[in-house]
Amino acid sequence: MRTTRTKALVPAALALLLAPLATACSGSAGAAGSTTVTVTVGYQSKTINTVTAGTLLRSLGYFEEELAARGKKDGITYEVDWQDYATGAPITAQMTAGKIDIGSMGDFPLLINAVRGKELKQPTHLVSVTGYNLRGGLNTVVTAPDSKLESLADLRGKKVSTSVGSAADGTLVRALQRAGIDPSGGIEKLNQQPSVGASALQAGSVDALSQFVAWPGQLAYEGRAKALYDGAELNLPTFHGVTVREKFAKERAGVLDDFLRAQRRATDHLRAEPVAAAESVAKETGLPAEVVYLYNGANGIATFDPSLRPELIDALKQDVPVLKDAKLVGDVDVDAFVDPEPLARVAAGTAEYPKAVSARPELWLKGQARTQTFDSPRELLKAARGADVRAAYVPDAVTGTLWFADKAVWVAEGPELRAFVTPAGAKAYVAAHQGSGARIVSFAEAGTLAS
């Protein structure tokens, strides 16, 4: 965990006049009556579809700017204590201990957050969304590059690493159920942190890894894994969101508004300058910018919009039975957990963000601050041939999940070239189009055909 504190100062004389009004926001703050208020934010720097409430927001300094403006009005010095974690579970633990005020995590961890908060009398509420994918494409099951596993059905009896209770675990459970495999007894599930699971996959001690953004894309980009199952095949929304302690939200409603206002500003920045945002997140996290852009780019797997869309809340309700079956939660009152009021206050009078649209092939050339989009994979491959390519992205022909063009599985069908995230997806398409001459081809052959 990395902890960094930044400060916004106000004039000392004004602070002394208003000192009796100040109280602490979290356990790390000073005693009651202090002129300093600390807001503690838990985030996951490498879970990059949370960046508008974490990594990117922190680097832009928007929250600190909003608090500085507030401090000038109320005579209080506000500090932000950013705490970085690998998953949502420790953020929930700290929130229920009263030590984190605002946190961001995935849909399944959010439900656990709701339950633990209620159990420990530190109730929390979901107040906004960071990044989402309406089909579930943010979670992927991957295998080693030389693995002979070709489909999810091949996982029967195999060792699979995941983080139990995470969004990726939820995808694994649902996918196995659809494949006719008992999630609890049909595989040997290892509960591991993402980094541990990635190492285990590379060492050969597990057969597959089910994880959330950005691990699958990073491992594929680095040639350390290949996709076995695209979470978008479930066609169920998945998202990450922002949760807040109820007590904090009541005592510091204005500060929560500042955070949500800052999050919207970060969202606007990411949508307007996706390449610059990807470069910034890459610098902060050490992730390759090409991987960050796969998820957070103009056509990325994640769509960034803080709105608590009805389809996302409905998906959250559908997640409850999965966690109940795993005995991770009991009943969850999702409607009581979701609090749309703070975001409604902040967004009043502003235009809604557009809904997610179908991804288009996209080319990022070296040295360029902008990318190029194309109407078809063929056009992208033709433009990339002989060019100084930094990254090329293509959407899966069925699920729409964006993937690296050189890591995708290609199918030639007459003049058409189609890309798929997984071998199983490509084979299913070929099997369904036998009369058209559809066939799987290599990336090199696809490039030749395109030109």
Coordinates of all heavy atoms in Angstrom, one line a residue, residues 156 174-183:
R156 N -12.4 -28.0 -16.7 CA -12.9 -29.0 -15.8 C -11.7 -29.8 -15.2 O -10.9 -30.4 -15.9 CB -13.8 -30.0 -16.5 CG -14.6 -30.9 -15.6 CD -15.4 -31.9 -16.3 NE -16.4 -31.3 -17.3 CZ -17.6 -30.9 -16.9 NH1 -18.0 -31.0 -15.7 NH2 -18.4 -30.3 -17.8
R174 N -20.1 -17.6 -13.1 CA -21.2 -17.6 -14.1 C -20.8 -18.4 -15.4 O -21.6 -19.1 -15.9 CB -21.5 -16.2 -14.4 CG -22.4 -15.5 -13.4 CD -23.0 -14.2 -13.9 NE -24.0 -13.7 -13.1 CZ -23.9 -12.5 -12.5 NH1 -22.8 -11.7 -12.7 NH2 -24.9 -12.0 -11.8
A175 N -19.5 -18.1 -15.8 CA -19.1 -18.8 -17.1 C -19.0 -20.3 -16.9 O -19.4 -21.0 -17.8 CB -17.7 -18.2 -17.5
L176 N -18.5 -20.7 -15.8 CA -18.5 -22.2 -15.5 C -19.9 -22.8 -15.5 O -20.1 -23.9 -16.0 CB -17.7 -22.4 -14.2 CG -16.2 -22.2 -14.2 CD1 -15.6 -22.3 -12.8 CD2 -15.5 -23.1 -15.1
Q177 N -20.8 -22.1 -14.8 CA -22.1 -22.6 -14.7 C -22.7 -22.8 -16.1 O -23.4 -23.8 -16.4 CB -23.0 -21.6 -13.9 CG -22.7 -21.7 -12.4 CD -23.4 -20.6 -11.6 OE1 -23.8 -19.6 -12.2 NE2 -23.6 -20.8 -10.3
R178 N -22.5 -21.8 -17.0 CA -23.0 -21.9 -18.3 C -22.4 -23.0 -19.1 O -23.0 -23.6 -20.1 CB -22.8 -20.6 -19.1 CG -23.7 -19.5 -18.6 CD -23.8 -18.3 -19.5 NE -24.6 -17.2 -19.0 CZ -24.8 -16.1 -19.7 NH1 -24.3 -15.9 -20.9 NH2 -25.6 -15.1 -19.1
A179 N -21.1 -23.3 -18.8 CA -20.4 -24.4 -19.4 C -20.8 -25.8 -18.8 O -20.2 -26.8 -19.3 CB -18.9 -24.2 -19.4
G180 N -21.6 -25.8 -17.8 CA -22.0 -27.0 -17.2 C -21.0 -27.6 -16.2 O -21.0 -28.8 -15.9
I181 N -20.2 -26.7 -15.7 CA -19.2 -27.1 -14.7 C -19.5 -26.5 -13.3 O -19.8 -25.3 -13.2 CB -17.8 -26.6 -15.1 CG1 -17.4 -27.2 -16.5 CG2 -16.7 -26.9 -14.1 CD1 -16.1 -26.6 -17.1
D182 N -19.5 -27.3 -12.3 CA -19.7 -26.9 -10.9 C -18.6 -25.9 -10.5 O -17.5 -26.4 -10.4 CB -19.8 -28.1 -10.0 CG -20.1 -27.7 -8.5 OD1 -20.3 -26.5 -8.3 OD2 -20.1 -28.6 -7.7
P183 N -18.9 -24.6 -10.2 CA -17.9 -23.7 -9.8 C -17.1 -24.1 -8.5 O -16.0 -23.7 -8.4 CB -18.6 -22.4 -9.7 CG -19.9 -22.5 -10.4 CD -20.2 -24.0 -10.3

